[in-house]
Every structure is written in structure tokens, then in C-alpha cells.
């Protein structure tokens, strides 16, 4: 339990950093001011958990009572803001490619961690028997922050068009929701989160895409 | 009671199909991928009821505990997706006109059914004496799904500009909210839902529009 | 108590009028119809308080149980609509400048009032010891309506880019949240609200802006 908790905190922290960075970069590219960058960054990082808590009536949402991830997201955003401001050319440089590769992996880890944490929260709140609900809550915890980021930035949500983003979260959520009836909870959680991470990394590497109804 | 329940289920099912279709078509036209089409379709169908449940603290919202309409919306979306994908030219063909006429009527039926169901849910939850609240909840149940659809698709919400869409819902909601004090509940419900459907069909037929402040 | 209550009602009323006007003007400029103008105007005026109530589980939100501010916002919007419709040239006339100056001051008063009212509501609901939460709730009460307005109108939220708008609210919220431990509540409230109003008026007058990461 102690071990699982620390590992979870660690992967959630990685996810928070990755999600906050993605929100901050969207805001920077749209030339929002410092506050806009902070709001988009923090919302992306903790917005999914907030939506989950509101949907299950866990109010005020956890992030407000124990704002450790808010603080971590805030620090991440401030560091990014200062780096970009001090070195304007960095956005067009080659180091940005490297940065994006690392962030993609971090983002996959975060998506996996947030998805299983969302399910765990729902099960602990007593909704374990509603499989559809806990799967939905896992997915919304994973992708909800990015959804809010894109709605606030006025863009078509990434998760509705990006190669297998929400799909990875759904797959992991279904795995975890059903496997926990048959095996040790920690093992099921690792498999669920692992599936999300693996699918996302493979999808980015091989450009997997879901079909569209009409040809582009 | 038994009879009313079955009739309600039937008209709600029609509304679910119409709303899911409208969400799916918006997603298909914006070339979202399969998951985007599913998310927009299902959100349009059940999003209004979800907003209503969150506003009155009926959490987790009903759709998660008994996802029969989610399933129906999902099936509707999948069928539409397959049809459009197999026959790309259908979106430009004459059969699409016929389809849109039928869907407009289905949509009107759904708007009427969802509006009165929203009020009923609020009254059953004990808010019958707050007339403004129950009218609002009826309307948000009716138009909330479309609102979420348009916000997620990055469009100005249809209900803010389309000929008397939300207005029809408001009229029916006011009728039902006040008539139920004076007559049999079933009769009031039928009058409320009927008014919504009638206004919508007439508005589409005769292009009724609300005034704008400036000339277009 | 009696006195504070009346003063609060008065400044909240001023804020409601200013916020409703700003929502209505956005809708009029986008040529939405009468209902669109009403919805955007009323949402801007009462949306912040609604978000706050949902986040702390105070459901149904207060505005539905006691819709006095909804009514005030509605009347404001209707008057504006009629004035613009009767005199189309008014939007390009010099009197609009005067109107905007007055509205900017009203808006500052509203932002100050809503911010401290939001904190008060949260403290009364028993969350006084969560400083981050009550500051957030104060700010969301102040800026949430404008956020919903811009999301519904499909624009990048004003608060993410406008010279020190949310920042003014945050400053006042922090002041009120911390000062109320050290002094009379009414005095702390006046200082908090006063700080918001002062910062907003100075920021508009001298075009204060937060930095952006990249040069425009």
C-alpha cells in the first residue's frame, strides 16, 4: 500500500508536469498573457480530476482541499514561461523537438496514471458496481483537462481527432475496471495504466489513427 | 402510470436517436475521427440530462447508473458512421434532404420529451415549488446536449441563433410547470410536450425567427 | 449587518447590470437573436455564482431559488436590446464611448463585489480554513460569468488576455481571505473589494498588461 501510494504519487507528478506543460504551450502559442498561461496550464493538469469530482458529487473537488498538484502545475508553468521569455528563439529551435519527444512520453505516463486514479477514486466513493460509470470517470480524469484546455482556447478538442488519445485511456480503463474483479488490485492497476502508456507510445510512433467517415 | 411510462420511453428514445444523429453529423462534417463522432453524438443525446442532474446535485447523473440511452445513442452513431463511410456521396445526395426532414420531426419530438422529463425529474427531486428552477431544468434538459455539442465543436451554439429552438422548449416548460397545478399531471405533460413539438415544426416550416438587435 | 447587507445588495446590483450589459453587447455584435442576447447577458451576470455553487455542492445554485439577480439581468438586457434596435446607429455613435466608460466602472464595482461575495459564501458554507479554495471561489464568482460568455460566444476568454482582469480579482480575494483573520470582517471585505475596483480602474486608465512569453 505504502509502495503503491508512492509510485502513484510519482507517476501522477510526471503526468501533472506533462499536462501543465501542454496547456502552457497552447497558451504561449496563442500569445495569452502570464495569467492566461497559468490558467490554461493548471486547468489542463487538474481539470480532469475536478470534472470527475463534480460528477460524483465529491465537492469541493479534491484539488482544492489538497492543492499539491496545483502547486506543481503552477511551478511547471512558471519555469516554462521564464525559459521561453528569456530565449524567444527556443520555440523554433531543434531543442524543442527533443522537448516534445520527452513530453509525449510524460504525457502518456500521465494519461495512464490519471485514468487508473480516476477509477480508483470512483471505486473508493462506492460506485464500483457501475462499470460504465467508473470507466467514464477514469477516462474523464485522463482526458478532461485537455478537453477544458481546448474549449477555453477555442480549438476543436484534441481528443476528438488525435490519433488514439482517448481510445488509449478507454482501453486501459476497461482493462482495469474488469480485471480488478479477477486479480490483485495493484496488478490490475499496473496492467491498466501500462496498456494506456503502451498504446499511446505506439500510436505516436506509428501514427495510428481512427477512421473518419469521409475521406480527407 | 404504466402507460405513460412506456409512451415516455418511446418518445425519449426517438429524441435520443435524433439528438445523437445531429451530434454525429456535426462531427462527420468537421471530419472528426470515429471516437470524435461517438463522443459528440452521445454527448448531444445525454448531455442535457447530465447538466440537469449536476445542477440539482443528483450525482452521479442518471445516465451513468442506467446507461440505456447512452447505448441507444451509441448504436445510432455507429449506424450513421458506417452508412456515410460506405457511401461517401450520400452527404451530397437527395436522400439527405429526406433524412433531414425526418430528423427535424424526430428532433422536435425529442425536444418536447426531454423538456417535460427534465421538469418531472426536478419535481420528483422535491423542487416543485421553485417554478423558475424547474422551468430552467426542463429547458436545459432539452437544449443542453446541443449546447455542449456546439461548444465542443467550437461553433456558436445553435440554440442562440436558430429559429425559435430554445423558445419552443421554454414555452412548453412554462405550460407544463403551471398547468400541473390545475390539472392531471399526464394531461399537463402532454400539453407541454405537444406545444414544444408544434412550435418547432411550425417554426421550421415557416422560418420563424426571433428579432435581432441590428439588421443583418 | 443590516447596513452591510444593503450595501452589498446595491453593489451586487450594479455588478449584475454591468455584467449583463457586457454579455448582451457581445451577443448583439455577433448578431445573435433576442434569445441569444438574453442567454448571454443573464449567463454573464449570474454564471460565476452558479459555477461557485456547483463546485461547493450548494445545489440547486442560489440563483434558481432566489432569482432576483436573474430578473435584474433580464430587465437590463431587454432595455439594451430595445435601445439598440430602435436606434441602429447608436453602436457607432459617440454616446457609445460614454456608455463604455460608465460600464467599465460598473464592471469594476461588480468584479469587486462578486469576488468578496464569493468568498463570503464559501466561508459561510464552512470552508473558511481552505484558503486556496475560498480564494478560487471568490475569483470564479467574479470572472466565471465572463468566462462562460466567451466560451459560448466561441471567443478566447477575455480574462486570459485582458489587462489585469482576473489579476485584480485574485489580489482582492487574497487580501480578503487573509485580512479577515486579523480584523473586522466588514473592514476586510471593503478592503478586498476596494482593491479589485482600484486595480481595474487603474489598469484600464494606464493600459496595464501582464507580460506574454513571446513578443507580439
Amino acid at each position: 500500500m505504502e509502495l503503491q501510494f508512492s509510485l502513484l504519487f510519482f507517476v501522477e507528478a510526471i503526468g501533472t508536469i506533462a499536462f501543465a506543460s501542454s496547456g502552457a504551450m497552447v497558451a504561449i502559442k496563442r500569445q495569452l498573457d502570464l495569467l492566461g498561461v497559468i490558467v490554461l496550464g493548471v486547468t489542463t493538469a487538474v481539470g480532469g480530476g475536478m470534472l470527475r469530482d463534480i460528477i460524483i458529487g465529491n465537492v469541493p473537488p479534491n484539488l482544492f482541499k489538497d492543492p499539491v498538484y496545483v502547486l506543481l502545475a503552477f511551478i511547471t508553468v512558471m519555469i516554462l514561461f521564464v525559459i521561453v521569455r528569456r530565449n524567444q528563439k527556443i520555440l523554433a529551435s531543434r531543442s524543442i523537438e527533443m522537448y516534445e519527444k520527452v513530453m509525449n512520453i510524460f504525457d502518456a505516463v500521465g494519461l495512464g496514471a490519471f485514468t487508473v486514479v480516476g477509477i480508483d477514486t470512483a471505486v473508493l466513493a462506492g460506485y464500483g458496481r457501475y462499470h460504465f460509470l467508473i470507466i467514464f470517470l477514469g477516462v474523464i480524469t485522463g482526458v478532461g483537462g485537455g478537453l477544458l484546455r481546448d474549449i477555453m482556447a477555442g480549438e476543436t478538442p484534441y481528443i476528438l481527432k488525435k490519433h488514439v488519445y482517448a481510445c488509449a485511456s478507454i482501453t486501459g480503463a476497461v482493462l482495469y475496471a474488469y480485471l480488478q474483479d479477477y486479480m490483485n488490485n495493484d496488478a490490475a492497476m499496473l496492467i491498466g495504466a501500462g496498456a494506456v502508456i503502451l498504446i499511446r507510445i505506439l500510436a505516436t510512433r506509428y501514427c495510428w489513427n481512427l477512421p473518419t467517415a469521409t475521406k480527407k
Side-chain angles (χ1 to χ4, degrees), chain A:
Chain A
M1 193 63 202
E2 213 27 53
L3 249 172
Q4 183 209 319
F5 184 77
S6 314
L7 179 62
L8 252 190
F9 179 82
F10 180 70
V11 291
E12 273 200 271
I14 288 182
T16 301
I17 292 171
F19 283 25
S21 306
S22 86
M25 291 307 273
V26 167
I28 288 173
K29 280 175 189 161
R30 293 183 74 91
Q31 303 208 308
L32 300 185
D33 66 19
L34 174 57
L35 190 92
V37 178
I38 293 171
V39 170
L40 271 200
V42 173
T43 303
T44 309
V46 302
M50 186 185 72
L51 290 180
R52 175 201 64 216
D53 286 348
I54 288 177
I55 289 171
I56 59 173
N58 177 18
V59 288
N62 216 39
L63 73 107
F64 296 113
K65 288 183 276 188
D66 179 18
V68 53
Y69 293 114
V70 173
L71 193 68
L72 181 57
F74 176 77
I75 294 169
T76 306
V77 170
M78 290 307 292
I79 292 174
L80 254 178
F81 187 89
V82 169
I83 291 175
V84 173
R85 194 173 163 81
R86 295 209 159 219
N87 188 351
Q88 303 270 322
K89 288 176 192 147
I90 207 169
L91 290 179
S93 74
R94 278 188 50 202
S95 48
I96 201 81
E97 279 176 41
M98 189 63 194
Y99 163 84
E100 279 179 358
K101 272 186 192 154
V102 174
M103 274 305 146
N104 255 325
I105 294 171
F106 274 36
D107 193 275
V109 172
L111 187 62
F114 285 14
T115 301
V116 295
V117 165
I119 291 182
D120 242 32
T121 308
V123 171
L124 285 177
Y127 298 115
R129 70 188 179 288
Y130 299 117
H131 277 100
F132 175 66
L133 174 64
I134 63 176
I135 290 166
F136 177 85
L137 290 173
V139 175
I140 205 77
T141 308
V143 308
L147 190 65
L148 290 177
R149 174 198 63 210
D150 295 337
I151 287 177
M152 288 175 72
E155 297 181 358
T156 304
Y158 210 38
I159 63 152
L160 301 184
K161 48 184 191 177
K162 189 189 186 181
H163 18 282
V164 263
Y165 194 88
C167 255
S169 174
I170 293 171
T171 309
V174 169
L175 277 175
Y176 181 32
Y178 283 96
L179 287 181
Q180 67 185 354
D181 295 342
Y182 302 105
M183 60 172 70
N184 175 291
N185 189 62
D186 286 15
M189 191 181 235
L190 279 176
I191 293 177
V196 178
I197 299 169
L198 190 69
I199 294 175
R200 272 302 297 148
I201 290 177
L202 290 175
T204 311
R205 177 75 187 75
Y206 296 104
C207 286
W208 287 350
N209 276 300
L210 289 176
T212 54
T214 56
K215 296 204 177 64
K216 294 196 181 181

